[in-house]
Amino acid sequence: MALHLFPEISKTTTVRDGTKYSYIHVPPSDSNKPTFLLLHGFPSTSYDWRHVLPLLKDRGYGVIAPDLLGYGDSDNPAEVEAYSIKRMADHVIEVILSEGLEQVIGVGHDWGSTLLSTAALTYPDRFSGLTFTAVGFVPPEPFDLKSVNTMVKEYIGYPAFAYMDFFNEDSAAAICDKNPASVMSMLYSTKPDDWKAHMGAEGGAKEWVSCGKVAHPPPWMSYEEIATHVQLLKKGGYTGPLNWYKSFIRGIDKSLYERFTTDESKNLDIPAVVVTAAYDCGSRPEFQIPAAEKHLSNRRIERFECGHWIPLERPKELVILLEEFASGL
C-alpha cells in the first residue's frame, strides 16, 4: 500500500466521481526519459512493483504506481458495479493527468494488463507505449466462464480458470478473509504444478482456502514478504479484489462491449510488448499471443523463463526490456 510502505514518494488524489486513489509517484530525474504507469494485478497493491520501481528510478525514469481500486490505501467499494473496467480506466487516466503528464508508457501485470488494454483503447493518445506481462492484450468483450473453461480443458487438459468459479461466489470474500495466509500460499505457489492442482481444478481453490492450507513460499519470495502481502489484504479484505472477477464474469461493462464490436474497433497501433511467462499454468503463453497478433499492429512478443509473477520473479530482466523498449519509442 502506497502511503504506508512508501510514504516519502506517495500521494493521494480524488478523481471526479469522488473515488480516492493512493499512488507512488517518482518524477523522472532525467528530463529526456518517460514515466512508466505500473498497474498491478490480483491480489496485491503497488507493493508488487517493489523490485522494479527502484531499478527504474535509478535509471532516471519516472514512475506512477497506484493502489488500484479495492486495494491498499485506495478506496474499496463493496458494490460489484463500482469495478467496471471502463470506470477504473477513467480513474487511472485522471491520476496521470493530475500529475501533469500528457503521456506515459503503460505496464500491466495480470488484471493490470486487462485494465491497461481498456485504458489504451479508450485513451490511445495518453500512451506512447504498452507493455503487458503474463496476461496479454485483452480487448473488451463478453466473457462466458463456463464456455471458456470447457474449451480450455479440451485444449490443455485442465480448466485453467476453474478458480474463477469460486471467486465469483458471493461467499468467497468471507472465506478468503478468514484464511488470508492460505490464499497467498495458493497464489504464490512453490512450483507451477502446485498452482495447476489447486487453481486449475474444479473446486480446488475453494477447498484449499476453506481448509486453511498453507505451503512453503517460492524461492523468489521470503516469509516476510508473504506476511506483508497478507497484512496488505487484511486492511480492506477480499471483497474489493474479488469484485474485479465478479464484474468481469457478470458483464458489468456491457455498454463498453457495445462500443467495441468489430475487429477494427479493437485494433491499436501503439508500440507494444507482450511478455509471456513460460511456466504460467493459468495465463499460459499460447493464450496471450492470438489477441496481440490480431489487434496490436506494432507489437513484439517476448517470453521469460518464469512463472506468472514476472515483476517479482524477473524484475531485472523486465527492467532491461522496459529500458530497451522506451529507448526505441
Side-chain angles (χ1 to χ4, degrees), residues 19 76 87 103 108 113 118 130 139 144 168 183 217 224 319:
T19 304
N76 184 13
R87 179 174 183 263
Q103 281 195 324
S113 289
T118 294
L130 304 168
D144 185 332
N168 190 38
V183 179
E224 291 77 14
V319 169

mmCIF file of all heavy atoms in Angstrom, residues 19 76 87 103 108 113 118 130 139 144 168 183 217 224 319:
data_model
loop_
_atom_site.group_PDB
_atom_site.id
_atom_site.type_symbol
_atom_site.label_atom_id
_atom_site.label_comp_id
_atom_site.label_asym_id
_atom_site.label_seq_id
_atom_site.Cartn_x
_atom_site.Cartn_y
_atom_site.Cartn_z
ATOM 1 N N THR A 19 -13.933 9.151 -6.060
ATOM 2 C CA THR A 19 -13.139 7.996 -5.656
ATOM 3 C C THR A 19 -11.716 8.421 -5.318
ATOM 4 O O THR A 19 -11.090 9.177 -6.060
ATOM 5 C CB THR A 19 -13.109 6.940 -6.778
ATOM 6 O OG1 THR A 19 -14.458 6.581 -7.119
ATOM 7 C CG2 THR A 19 -12.365 5.695 -6.331
ATOM 8 N N ASN A 76 -12.231 1.331 -1.465
ATOM 9 C CA ASN A 76 -12.551 -0.096 -1.522
ATOM 10 C C ASN A 76 -14.068 -0.285 -1.482
ATOM 11 O O ASN A 76 -14.614 -0.798 -0.507
ATOM 12 C CB ASN A 76 -11.882 -0.805 -0.338
ATOM 13 C CG ASN A 76 -12.070 -2.301 -0.357
ATOM 14 O OD1 ASN A 76 -12.496 -2.876 -1.349
ATOM 15 N ND2 ASN A 76 -11.780 -2.942 0.765
ATOM 16 N N ARG A 87 -14.763 2.284 -15.975
ATOM 17 C CA ARG A 87 -14.720 3.279 -14.886
ATOM 18 C C ARG A 87 -13.318 3.350 -14.284
ATOM 19 O O ARG A 87 -12.784 4.446 -14.038
ATOM 20 C CB ARG A 87 -15.747 2.907 -13.817
ATOM 21 C CG ARG A 87 -15.804 3.838 -12.607
ATOM 22 C CD ARG A 87 -16.954 3.444 -11.693
ATOM 23 N NE ARG A 87 -17.075 4.370 -10.561
ATOM 24 C CZ ARG A 87 -16.555 4.152 -9.351
ATOM 25 N NH1 ARG A 87 -15.882 3.032 -9.098
ATOM 26 N NH2 ARG A 87 -16.718 5.038 -8.388
ATOM 27 N N GLN A 103 1.526 11.905 -21.547
ATOM 28 C CA GLN A 103 1.670 10.528 -21.993
ATOM 29 C C GLN A 103 2.517 9.730 -21.009
ATOM 30 O O GLN A 103 3.369 10.294 -20.305
ATOM 31 C CB GLN A 103 2.331 10.458 -23.371
ATOM 32 C CG GLN A 103 1.417 10.751 -24.546
ATOM 33 C CD GLN A 103 2.040 10.314 -25.856
ATOM 34 O OE1 GLN A 103 3.250 10.403 -26.055
ATOM 35 N NE2 GLN A 103 1.207 9.835 -26.772
ATOM 36 N N GLY A 108 1.346 -3.313 -17.492
ATOM 37 C CA GLY A 108 0.350 -4.039 -16.711
ATOM 38 C C GLY A 108 0.805 -5.444 -16.385
ATOM 39 O O GLY A 108 1.530 -6.075 -17.160
ATOM 40 N N SER A 113 -2.974 -5.750 -16.753
ATOM 41 C CA SER A 113 -2.922 -5.813 -18.218
ATOM 42 C C SER A 113 -4.307 -5.643 -18.829
ATOM 43 O O SER A 113 -4.467 -4.991 -19.874
ATOM 44 C CB SER A 113 -2.324 -7.153 -18.668
ATOM 45 O OG SER A 113 -0.945 -7.217 -18.393
ATOM 46 N N THR A 118 -8.032 -1.713 -21.789
ATOM 47 C CA THR A 118 -9.189 -0.824 -21.921
ATOM 48 C C THR A 118 -8.770 0.641 -21.902
ATOM 49 O O THR A 118 -9.286 1.457 -22.672
ATOM 50 C CB THR A 118 -10.213 -1.113 -20.811
ATOM 51 O OG1 THR A 118 -10.745 -2.428 -21.009
ATOM 52 C CG2 THR A 118 -11.352 -0.104 -20.829
ATOM 53 N N LEU A 130 3.110 0.401 -24.670
ATOM 54 C CA LEU A 130 2.353 -0.519 -23.820
ATOM 55 C C LEU A 130 3.179 -1.774 -23.579
ATOM 56 O O LEU A 130 3.779 -2.317 -24.511
ATOM 57 C CB LEU A 130 1.033 -0.920 -24.491
ATOM 58 C CG LEU A 130 0.085 0.201 -24.917
ATOM 59 C CD1 LEU A 130 -1.017 -0.360 -25.814
ATOM 60 C CD2 LEU A 130 -0.519 0.893 -23.700
ATOM 61 N N PRO A 139 -8.889 -7.222 -25.237
ATOM 62 C CA PRO A 139 -9.905 -6.276 -25.703
ATOM 63 C C PRO A 139 -11.231 -6.521 -25.011
ATOM 64 O O PRO A 139 -11.536 -7.661 -24.621
ATOM 65 C CB PRO A 139 -9.996 -6.555 -27.203
ATOM 66 C CG PRO A 139 -9.509 -7.959 -27.370
ATOM 67 C CD PRO A 139 -8.489 -8.175 -26.295
ATOM 68 N N ASP A 144 -17.714 -15.657 -21.116
ATOM 69 C CA ASP A 144 -18.540 -16.764 -20.641
ATOM 70 C C ASP A 144 -17.621 -17.774 -19.965
ATOM 71 O O ASP A 144 -16.960 -18.578 -20.632
ATOM 72 C CB ASP A 144 -19.278 -17.408 -21.825
ATOM 73 C CG ASP A 144 -20.253 -18.501 -21.410
ATOM 74 O OD1 ASP A 144 -20.022 -19.151 -20.364
ATOM 75 O OD2 ASP A 144 -21.246 -18.725 -22.122
ATOM 76 N N ASN A 168 -16.155 -16.033 -7.958
ATOM 77 C CA ASN A 168 -17.431 -15.413 -8.339
ATOM 78 C C ASN A 168 -18.540 -15.687 -7.322
ATOM 79 O O ASN A 168 -19.620 -15.091 -7.401
ATOM 80 C CB ASN A 168 -17.859 -15.907 -9.727
ATOM 81 C CG ASN A 168 -19.028 -15.132 -10.301
ATOM 82 O OD1 ASN A 168 -19.123 -13.915 -10.139
ATOM 83 N ND2 ASN A 168 -19.945 -15.828 -10.964
ATOM 84 N N VAL A 183 -4.763 -18.097 1.073
ATOM 85 C CA VAL A 183 -4.926 -17.507 -0.256
ATOM 86 C C VAL A 183 -3.567 -17.197 -0.863
ATOM 87 O O VAL A 183 -3.277 -17.542 -2.020
ATOM 88 C CB VAL A 183 -5.778 -16.223 -0.199
ATOM 89 C CG1 VAL A 183 -5.911 -15.617 -1.603
ATOM 90 C CG2 VAL A 183 -7.153 -16.508 0.382
ATOM 91 N N PRO A 217 6.682 -20.813 0.767
ATOM 92 C CA PRO A 217 6.703 -19.835 -0.317
ATOM 93 C C PRO A 217 7.714 -20.235 -1.391
ATOM 94 O O PRO A 217 8.621 -21.033 -1.136
ATOM 95 C CB PRO A 217 7.121 -18.543 0.383
ATOM 96 C CG PRO A 217 7.909 -18.988 1.560
ATOM 97 C CD PRO A 217 7.264 -20.265 2.009
ATOM 98 N N GLU A 224 8.828 -13.091 5.089
ATOM 99 C CA GLU A 224 8.492 -11.721 5.488
ATOM 100 C C GLU A 224 7.648 -11.036 4.410
ATOM 101 O O GLU A 224 6.696 -10.304 4.733
ATOM 102 C CB GLU A 224 9.766 -10.921 5.746
ATOM 103 C CG GLU A 224 10.535 -11.350 6.982
ATOM 104 C CD GLU A 224 11.337 -12.634 6.794
ATOM 105 O OE1 GLU A 224 11.524 -13.057 5.630
ATOM 106 O OE2 GLU A 224 11.761 -13.221 7.807
ATOM 107 N N VAL A 319 13.109 -4.892 -16.289
ATOM 108 C CA VAL A 319 13.544 -3.500 -16.402
ATOM 109 C C VAL A 319 14.482 -3.312 -17.597
ATOM 110 O O VAL A 319 14.409 -2.297 -18.300
ATOM 111 C CB VAL A 319 14.216 -3.046 -15.092
ATOM 112 C CG1 VAL A 319 14.917 -1.697 -15.275
ATOM 113 C CG2 VAL A 319 13.171 -2.943 -13.985
#
